[in-house]
Amino acid sequence: MLRGMMMTGPMMLSNIIEYAAEVHPKGEIVSATLEGGLHRESYAEAARRIRRLANALIRLGVKPGDRVATMAWNGYRHFELYYAISGIGAVCHTINPRLFPQQLAFIVSHAEDTHLFFDLNLADLVARMRPSWPAGLRYVVMTDAAHRPETPGLEDMLVYEDLIAGESELFDWPEFDETTASALCYTSGTTGNPKGALYSHRSTMLLAFLLSSSVRDIDRGTRLLPVVPLFHVNAWGLPYSAPLTGADLIMPGPRLDGATLFDLMETTGTQVSWGVPTVWTGLLAEMAARGARPRALESVLIGGSAPSQTMIEDFEYRWDVRVTQGWGMTETSPVGAIGWLTPDERLMPRNAQIAIKTHAGKRCFGVSLKIVDDEGRRLPHDDLATGHLHVRGGTVISGYFNDPEATARAFDADGWFATGDIARISPSGLLTIVDRQKDLVKSGGEW
């Protein structure tokens, strides 16, 4: 086979933040902080702080392949950790603080984390969990010296801003094999131990490209608020696709009630927001109470579980806010399908459009779907046959981290991942999730 004569170079996540700093330098991250008020930094400023953080991590002794854990809400420091950790060849392990104590104990030990960065209001939780975690784990609170908590059991913790204060803003990002691990997320069901999805630089870059091409709301200058947490499957890829395209990120912090989200959206001019149905239930109730929507809000993407038709109609008919549904799971990075409308479908009557939006959407480029019967025989995509949904692609896991038994159960003989969903697929590729095979999965705080 004749090989092309083109340059090759590994796809590194550090390239995204350096690209954003150069091409979208005024794009910004606006964060609701635990210390109080809003913090604003441009992508150019974020890149400088990320380089300082990378230097600090190396000074702390973080080595390529080390798992560095984060237990934090959506904010600018968490965003900085995403890039600094993976950029030096380590693995950013995001942890959901809402998990049960036994799950938190298992996850940190199974991942063999070396450092844990945590948000200010999670200090008490971290202190309670510390006896259950490895003795050598080092702790960094994500704040400044003035707000350092006096938490018994964490007297030896380091402070984020002190850690990076004296570091250089210059850093030569290393290049390595693009299949090197970049992030680790655990998925938890109602039975058994959590299972780790270990993403690579390549798979995450592909996800960023996939989102940029599949979702028209991610664009330069768009004010985008991820209500989905940074600890939930990397906020569905937005920390990567937003700086790549130049979209602004509005980070809401820990308070996700309807009133707080409404005020933040109003203050920041949020145009697009992503989250799970429970979040939108609260926001819709607040909009009804005030008799208004946030002034700039145009679109919401709903994932984690299927929205009701009533919710979609409330957004679309009452508030003129466009709804898009997405489907995926931790094992698919997580986006596998997006409910975008074709140009012809956008010309349909509103009720016909909403009927389409109640489905899970169509597969994204690079993601393949199939349904099979109980014996593993492939079923037609005729919108009639119902079967077990399988998926494969460059953003889909090839196995679970350090869990060969779970891996063996999750894949068929041809290497397709069995999602556990029961579904049907139309001839045009429209995916409908009908049921769940057996286990429940916690997604964005919902079972």
Side-chain angles (χ1 to χ4, degrees):
M1 185 175 294
L2 183 64
R3 295 179 64 89
M5 298 176 63
M6 302 298 293
M7 292 184 182
T8 59
M11 291 190 284
M12 303 278 93
L13 292 179
S14 55
N15 292 339
I16 292 181
I17 193 59
E18 294 298 342
Y19 175 83
E22 180 180 348
V23 179
H24 310 300
K26 295 183 179 179
E28 69 173 353
I29 304 165
V30 182
S31 303
T33 70
L34 287 162
E35 296 88 353
L38 294 180
H39 176 275
R40 299 174 183 267
E41 71 180 25
S42 68
Y43 285 133
E45 292 166 337
R48 292 193 290 271
R49 284 175 55 87
I50 289 166
R51 292 186 215 111
R52 290 163 58 191
L53 178 57
N55 281 314
L57 291 172
I58 291 174
R59 179 168 54 82
L60 283 178
V62 177
K63 303 181 299 296
D66 283 354
R67 271 74 74 193
V68 177
T70 68
M71 188 181 285
W73 312 105
N74 289 12
Y76 66 101
R77 294 187 183 104
H78 204 173
F79 175 90
E80 292 165 0
L81 283 160
Y82 263 51
Y83 283 96
I85 295 169
S86 61
I88 65 172
V91 180
C92 182
H93 173 206
T94 55
I95 300 174
N96 182 352
R98 300 177 181 138
L99 293 177
F100 302 124
Q102 61 268 32
Q103 292 176 319
L104 292 174
F106 173 84
I107 285 171
V108 173
S109 298
H110 186 266
E112 298 178 319
D113 293 320
T114 62
H115 295 74
L116 174 68
F117 287 74
F118 61 94
D119 255 338
L120 189 58
N121 68 340
L122 297 174
D124 288 341
L125 172 61
V126 171
R128 289 197 304 272
M129 291 302 307
R130 185 170 188 172
S132 304
W133 288 337
L137 189 63
R138 300 183 70 181
Y139 298 85
V140 183
V141 61
M142 295 162 62
T143 189
D144 53 33
H147 294 88
R148 185 186 192 277
E150 298 298 326
T151 306
L154 290 176
E155 291 83 3
D156 59 342
M157 64 183 163
L158 302 174
V159 177
Y160 187 99
E161 293 300 332
D162 289 349
L163 189 67
I164 70 173
E167 299 294 342
S168 172
E169 293 181 354
L170 301 177
F171 187 82
D172 291 327
W173 294 108
E175 285 194 352
F176 33 81
D177 190 302
E178 64 187 24
T179 61
T180 297
S182 63
L184 177 61
C185 293
Y186 280 79
T187 179
S188 57
T190 55
T191 59
N193 286 322
K195 300 179 287 292
L198 188 62
Y199 310 129
S200 68
H201 284 255
R202 180 181 186 273
S203 72
T204 306
M205 288 290 287
L206 291 176
L207 174 68
F209 296 149
L210 175 157
L211 289 173
S212 300
S213 64
S214 299
V215 184
R216 57 179 173 153
D217 289 332
I218 305 176
D219 200 1
R220 179 180 298 188
T222 299
R223 308 283 278 177
L224 203 160
L225 193 159
V227 187
V228 56
L230 287 167
F231 57 71
H232 179 55
V233 206
N234 300 143
W236 299 347
L238 287 178
Y240 307 110
S241 56
L244 181 65
T245 57
D248 297 335
L249 281 172
I250 313 300
M251 299 294 202
R255 295 183 58 193
L256 306 180
D257 60 278
T260 300
L261 283 177
F262 189 107
D263 291 340
L264 182 62
M265 290 177 172
E266 186 73 12
T267 299
T268 60
T270 294
Q271 297 162 291
V272 180
S273 191
W274 289 21
V276 298
T278 50
V279 166
W280 303 131
T281 298
L283 181 64
L284 284 168
E286 186 66 21
M287 289 160 61
R290 301 192 191 194
R293 71 176 192 190
R295 57 185 170 85
L297 185 63
E298 300 171 356
S299 173
V300 296
L301 185 138
I302 306 177
S305 63
S308 67
Q309 183 166 333
T310 300
M311 175 175 285
I312 298 173
E313 290 174 343
D314 202 0
F315 270 121
E316 296 255 353
Y317 286 139
R318 184 173 182 182
W319 302 111
D320 197 28
V321 173
R322 186 175 67 253
V323 171
T324 303
Q325 186 178 169
W327 171 87
M329 54 202 311
T330 304
E331 291 88 343
T332 63
S333 294
V335 182
I338 294 287
W340 50 267
L341 298 179
T342 65
D344 287 343
E345 289 168 343
R346 289 199 291 271
L347 297 176
M348 290 180 176
R350 197 75 169 273
N351 62 336
Q353 293 184 32
I354 289 175
I356 295 171
K357 292 181 179 188
T358 60
H359 299 268
K362 298 179 181 179
R363 67 183 180 95
C364 298
F365 178 75
V367 177
S368 298
L369 306 175
K370 73 174 181 179
I371 51 174
V372 301
D373 63 17
D374 290 342
E375 284 71 44
R377 294 184 294 253
R378 197 158 186 167
L379 297 172
H381 294 185
D382 58 6
D383 210 24
L384 298 174
T386 298
H388 305 279
L389 180 64
H390 287 57
V391 60
R392 70 178 179 185
T395 56
V396 181
I397 64 165
S398 60
Y400 287 111
F401 177 62
N402 282 348
D403 198 337
E405 293 183 4
T407 297
R409 293 192 300 268
F411 294 84
D412 68 12
D414 296 321
W416 289 71
F417 174 73
T419 67
D421 284 325
I422 307 298
R424 65 177 187 268
I425 304 174
S426 76
S428 66
L430 191 62
L431 174 67
T432 303
I433 304 298
V434 176
D435 202 352
R436 184 77 191 154
Q437 184 174 343
K438 50 183 178 180
D439 201 7
L440 292 174
V441 172
K442 191 167 190 177
S443 177
E446 296 191 353
W447 290 107

